Amino acid sequence: MLLQSLRISLSIHSAVAKMPGFASCPGSLIVVAIIIQCISHINSEIWSNEVSNVQYGKLGSNVTLVCKVSGSGSAVEWRLNGSAVSLRQAPSLDGSLTLINADRTMEGNYSCHDERGNVLRATKLRLGYMPGLLSVSCKMSNHHSVKCSWEQSVKTYLPTKYIASYRDRTNKVKPCHQASFHLNECTIRHPTMWHHYHMVNITEVNPLGSETTLVRVQLHSLLKPDPPEAVTPEPVVGHPRRLQVSWSYPSSWPNEEGFPLNFQLRYRPQGSINWSLLKTTNTILLITDLLVAHPHIIQVQARDDLNYGQWSDWSPEVQALPWTEPKKDDSEESNSVEPFPVFPDYTEPVCSSPAVGEGADHHLAQAYSTVDADYRSLGVSISLGLFAGIIMSAFIILLWVRQRRRDEVTKQELTSMVKMK
């Protein structure tokens, strides 16, 4: 604030000096002196009323605030945001204030007052935790840069800065470029691709301490282009089963000639879950086996031509309909050639014979019915005969089995009688 007041006074003085004849006037000098004095007085009041410093403490621990006591044994009073602190946090004999198991409710502006109420010391207390290990993820969408971002595993509640660097196999430390030390991201520009990995070092710093996180980044496996852009399907006139699909390189892949891409295109009829896949090195492809007059879903993905890294994510789904023959108007149909006759889908075969009059037809129908009846009676007779034969065979077999058993019993009886004799 003092430097600011000096700057204001100097600017006023220089402005006055540029005014012709004004600087030579004694009254003007008096006015400038009064303005400078007022500014100095206002700044001194602001400086005495605002918090002079900040003290940081760890949540859950005991935090001690020190007061500059003018004399030994002098009574002091501590206030939090202008109100007296609770009795359980009463100051000690030396004027210091100890907060037991400090929590977030104890944060704020503390001031130490003497018996007359004068401020002996003012401080702002902020509570939080020391940094922990970071959760780091890196993305490489082209050969020219690697973007790394991270998240805190421990929420510190304190102002934090990040210092990011990396080194390759030469062990030469280089900065990972950051737009601000407070942001949680950095960029490795022009990484050395012939070195298979880089070690990324990110250090989190806050008023209570620091913590360093090391991450090994495999460049060849990390490379993953962004999806192709501007995927555009177009129907092919006169071909109801074809679509011509074109697309462009992702805008994040700047050099098409030096680092070409391979592409995969997949498509499926709308409503189906089965995809068909085509591969190409061009940015245009012809599909030739679509369903006629049915909408299809199309997506494209890309990968480095040297098969480094991974396939990109699929591009957003695009729906397309193959070419269909336009319908003719009524006027065109009336002037067109006579259409082909419409045949039924299926007809029963009809047997015909030379016409010999109605009587002949009647006798022929009777003959057909008589033959049909004879065939039916013959079938019934054959069935009955077969059934009777089966029953007779079963009866004969049953008699033979019974006779066989009787013979066995008689033979055993004779044998037993001979043995007894």
Side-chain angles (χ1 to χ4, degrees), residues 1 21 75 105 112 124 144 166 226 253 309 330 372 381 407-408:
M1 297 298 293
T105 62
C112 174
K124 182 176 182 178
H144 306 293
Y166 74 96
D226 290 330
W253 194 270
D330 295 338
D372 190 15
S381 302
D407 294 341
E408 288 291 333

Side-chain angles (χ1 to χ4, degrees), residues 82-120:
S83 301
V85 298
S86 60
L87 294 178
R88 68 185 181 90
Q89 298 167 351
S92 59
L93 294 178
D94 60 356
S96 62
L97 176 65
T98 300
L99 306 177
I100 308 299
N101 295 328
D103 56 38
R104 296 293 299 279
T105 62
M106 298 179 184
E107 286 185 321
N109 297 324
Y110 284 85
S111 56
C112 174
H113 302 259
D114 60 12
E115 295 177 347
R116 297 181 181 180
N118 298 322
V119 178
L120 300 176

